[in-house]
Structures are given as C-alpha cells and as structure tokens.
Amino acid sequence: MNDAEKLTGHEGEGGVEGKSEGGGDSGSGSRGGSALRGVGIGCGVLVAVPLLLVLGFLVTYSVQRGTPEDYERVAPQSMMARIGDVSQESYEVLGFDTAVGSDASSALCYPGGLESMADEPVDGAYSLSHDWSVEDVTRAEAASALKRLRGHLKDEGWDIDSYEDEAGSAYGLGLRASRGGPSGDGGDVRAVFEWREGQGRFDGSVHAPCAYDPGDDGDTGTGGTAPATEAGSEVEPPQLRP
C-alpha cells in the first residue's frame, strides 16, 4: 500500500468516526430532554396530589361543619322515660328482689368525623344517662343474673359488645350492649352492667343517644334556659322495682 492509499484510509476512518460521534451526541441530547420532561411531570404530580388532598379535606370539613347533626328533638324528661324503661326491664330480668333508687346525669354532645377536631360541643344538644346500683350482691348471684340478661338482650335484638363471664374474669363481671336508636348520627342506646370483686355492688347504667332539647316547641323540657350539662338535674329518674 502506497502513502496515498494510507492517507486516504486514515481520512475515511476519521470521517466515519466523526459521524458516529456526532450521531451519538444527538441521541444523548434527545434522551436527556425526555428525562428532564419526565422529571418535571413527576414533580408536578407530587405537588398536585397533596394540594388536591388538602383541598378535599377542607371542602369536606366545611360541609360537615355547615350540616346540623342528625339528632332527635326530645325533651330530657321524655328521654329519661325511654332509658328508664330499659333499666326497669333489665332489672326485672336480672332478678334482684329490692327496690333501687337511681340517678340521672348528663353531658355535652360532640360531633364525629372531621368536625371532632374542633372539639366544640353541639349547641342545644345533650346526652343523658340513668345510673343505679344494688348492694350486697355475691359473685354467684351476679354471674347468674348477667347470664339471664345477656340471653334476654340478644333475643330482643341488642348487640352484645362485651361479656365478662365467671370463667373469664379475674376481677369482676360485666356486660355491655348497644342498640340502634332512631337517629342515624351516633344514635345508639348503650347499656353497661358491672359487678366488681371486693365491692359486692352491682352497677347498672343506660346511656341515651344525643338529642336536641326542643325547649319551648311544645314539649316539656328545660325551656332552653339550662345548659345541656344540667339536663340531668332537670329530670326525675325512675325508681326501679323487682
């Protein structure tokens, strides 16, 4: 091979290499641009999703805050009569043989859902409870009574939330049950019955769902003058009899 052929060969190889390198640079630039666009889209999504979640949260919170709670309008004395009937029926099934005095207590009502974060009670609403107790009850008597009551409540459609029987409890006995009330918003009626070792006392309590006091709307109530927490002092609890 002469010098001209060698020179021509080297130039050809250089030309080919130059084109290859030029083509490589163009492809890398295209891929780099696509990658940057992908990163930009990804960052946009990462920013947009939290903003949408926050916006949805604020809208839901505002709607719930602006919607009145779905409570019944019931005068405290009428509500006490309702839960007093539950206490009386339960007391008869338990089978204790003495008349029992009882007390009424009340509390404020707080909304559920996102509204609960504000920790503000519902205006004009109250929650009423009927509490009573029987002294000098033995463990055997309490166990037998709770077993009867558990069967009765199940037959009447109550949900048995918990039951501490004689074999499963080291410190006492207990029965908790609930039943859906007329209100769809936290409207369960709850009943709690307990006997604790060492005290010899059997406690019963029936809790009503939250309700609005109708005040002067025609029913006998507090007239809207007493705070909801004082509803218990405005009512007369029933005397339970065997």
Side-chain angles (χ1 to χ4, degrees):
M1 181 180 295
N2 55 35
D3 293 339
E5 289 175 340
K6 292 179 180 179
L7 180 60
T8 302
H10 286 301
E11 288 178 353
E13 291 175 3
V16 172
E17 290 176 359
K19 290 179 181 179
S20 176
E21 292 174 358
D25 290 342
S26 176
S28 298
S30 176
R31 289 193 296 271
S34 298
L36 288 175
R37 286 195 296 272
V39 171
I41 293 172
C43 290
V45 171
L46 290 176
V47 172
V49 169
L51 288 176
L52 289 174
L53 291 175
V54 171
L55 180 60
F57 172 85
L58 293 175
V59 170
T60 302
Y61 179 78
S62 298
V63 170
Q64 290 187 1
R65 288 277 288 175
T67 304
E69 300 304 315
D70 185 23
Y71 299 154
E72 268 197 302
R73 296 182 64 82
V74 184
Q77 188 61 57
S78 297
M79 184 63 81
M80 174 53 66
R82 289 187 189 180
I83 60 177
D85 288 344
V86 175
S87 290
Q88 180 61 50
E89 181 180 349
S90 300
Y91 191 69
E92 292 174 1
V93 174
L94 287 167
F96 298 125
D97 57 2
T98 58
V100 177
S102 57
D103 295 313
S105 59
S106 56
L108 296 172
C109 291
Y110 290 84
L114 296 179
E115 289 182 273
S116 61
M117 294 188 306
D119 197 28
E120 296 178 357
V122 180
D123 289 339
Y126 68 94
S127 176
L128 201 61
S129 299
H130 181 224
D131 311 302
W132 47 270
S133 61
V134 182
E135 303 290 342
D136 301 324
V137 178
T138 67
R139 186 184 185 97
E141 291 172 336
S144 178
L146 284 174
K147 184 177 180 180
R148 284 194 303 272
L149 182 58
R150 175 174 178 266
H152 173 78
L153 292 178
K154 287 184 65 176
D155 291 342
E156 292 296 316
W158 287 72
D159 294 322
I160 305 301
D161 300 321
S162 66
Y163 176 53
E164 300 170 271
D165 59 12
E166 189 171 11
S169 175
Y171 303 104
L173 310 173
L175 170 64
R176 293 174 180 265
S178 60
R179 181 175 65 186
S183 170
D185 186 2
D188 287 349
V189 180
R190 296 177 294 111
V192 180
F193 308 94
E194 295 179 324
W195 180 90
R196 291 306 174 208
E197 190 73 58
Q199 297 178 349
R201 188 181 71 191
F202 189 101
D203 294 316
S205 182
V206 180
H207 306 272
C210 288
Y212 290 115
D213 185 352
D216 294 323
D217 289 348
D219 202 349
T220 302
T222 63
T225 59
T229 49
E230 296 181 10
S233 64
E234 301 292 322
V235 300
E236 185 67 29
Q239 185 91 355
L240 302 184
R241 299 186 179 280

mmCIF file with all atom_site columns, all heavy atoms in Angstrom, residues 16 81 131 142 200:
data_model
loop_
_atom_site.group_PDB
_atom_site.id
_atom_site.type_symbol
_atom_site.label_atom_id
_atom_site.label_alt_id
_atom_site.label_comp_id
_atom_site.label_asym_id
_atom_site.label_entity_id
_atom_site.label_seq_id
_atom_site.pdbx_PDB_ins_code
_atom_site.Cartn_x
_atom_site.Cartn_y
_atom_site.Cartn_z
_atom_site.occupancy
_atom_site.B_iso_or_equiv
_atom_site.pdbx_formal_charge
_atom_site.auth_seq_id
_atom_site.auth_comp_id
_atom_site.auth_asym_id
_atom_site.auth_atom_id
_atom_site.pdbx_PDB_model_num
ATOM 1  N N   . VAL A 1 16  ? -15.651 8.498   9.294  1.00 0.00 ? 16  VAL A N   1
ATOM 2  C CA  . VAL A 1 16  ? -16.660 7.599   9.864  1.00 0.00 ? 16  VAL A CA  1
ATOM 3  C C   . VAL A 1 16  ? -16.783 7.813   11.349 1.00 0.00 ? 16  VAL A C   1
ATOM 4  O O   . VAL A 1 16  ? -17.870 7.888   11.910 1.00 0.00 ? 16  VAL A O   1
ATOM 5  C CB  . VAL A 1 16  ? -16.314 6.141   9.533  1.00 0.00 ? 16  VAL A CB  1
ATOM 6  C CG1 . VAL A 1 16  ? -17.240 5.202   10.273 1.00 0.00 ? 16  VAL A CG1 1
ATOM 7  C CG2 . VAL A 1 16  ? -16.388 5.902   8.037  1.00 0.00 ? 16  VAL A CG2 1
ATOM 8  N N   . ALA A 1 81  ? -87.509 8.858   80.454 1.00 0.00 ? 81  ALA A N   1
ATOM 9  C CA  . ALA A 1 81  ? -88.526 7.812   80.499 1.00 0.00 ? 81  ALA A CA  1
ATOM 10 C C   . ALA A 1 81  ? -88.141 6.644   79.584 1.00 0.00 ? 81  ALA A C   1
ATOM 11 O O   . ALA A 1 81  ? -88.351 5.478   79.922 1.00 0.00 ? 81  ALA A O   1
ATOM 12 C CB  . ALA A 1 81  ? -89.886 8.386   80.089 1.00 0.00 ? 81  ALA A CB  1
ATOM 13 N N   . ASP A 1 131 ? -78.383 5.918   85.978 1.00 0.00 ? 131 ASP A N   1
ATOM 14 C CA  . ASP A 1 131 ? -77.444 5.090   86.738 1.00 0.00 ? 131 ASP A CA  1
ATOM 15 C C   . ASP A 1 131 ? -78.102 4.569   88.016 1.00 0.00 ? 131 ASP A C   1
ATOM 16 O O   . ASP A 1 131 ? -78.831 5.297   88.700 1.00 0.00 ? 131 ASP A O   1
ATOM 17 C CB  . ASP A 1 131 ? -76.202 5.914   87.108 1.00 0.00 ? 131 ASP A CB  1
ATOM 18 C CG  . ASP A 1 131 ? -75.621 6.648   85.912 1.00 0.00 ? 131 ASP A CG  1
ATOM 19 O OD1 . ASP A 1 131 ? -75.272 5.977   84.928 1.00 0.00 ? 131 ASP A OD1 1
ATOM 20 O OD2 . ASP A 1 131 ? -75.529 7.892   85.966 1.00 0.00 ? 131 ASP A OD2 1
ATOM 21 N N   . ALA A 1 142 ? -74.399 -12.419 90.819 1.00 0.00 ? 142 ALA A N   1
ATOM 22 C CA  . ALA A 1 142 ? -74.130 -11.531 89.688 1.00 0.00 ? 142 ALA A CA  1
ATOM 23 C C   . ALA A 1 142 ? -73.927 -12.323 88.399 1.00 0.00 ? 142 ALA A C   1
ATOM 24 O O   . ALA A 1 142 ? -74.429 -11.942 87.337 1.00 0.00 ? 142 ALA A O   1
ATOM 25 C CB  . ALA A 1 142 ? -72.900 -10.680 89.979 1.00 0.00 ? 142 ALA A CB  1
ATOM 26 N N   . GLY A 1 200 ? -68.805 -5.998  96.088 1.00 0.00 ? 200 GLY A N   1
ATOM 27 C CA  . GLY A 1 200 ? -70.098 -6.619  96.337 1.00 0.00 ? 200 GLY A CA  1
ATOM 28 C C   . GLY A 1 200 ? -71.262 -5.775  95.845 1.00 0.00 ? 200 GLY A C   1
ATOM 29 O O   . GLY A 1 200 ? -72.388 -5.924  96.308 1.00 0.00 ? 200 GLY A O   1
#
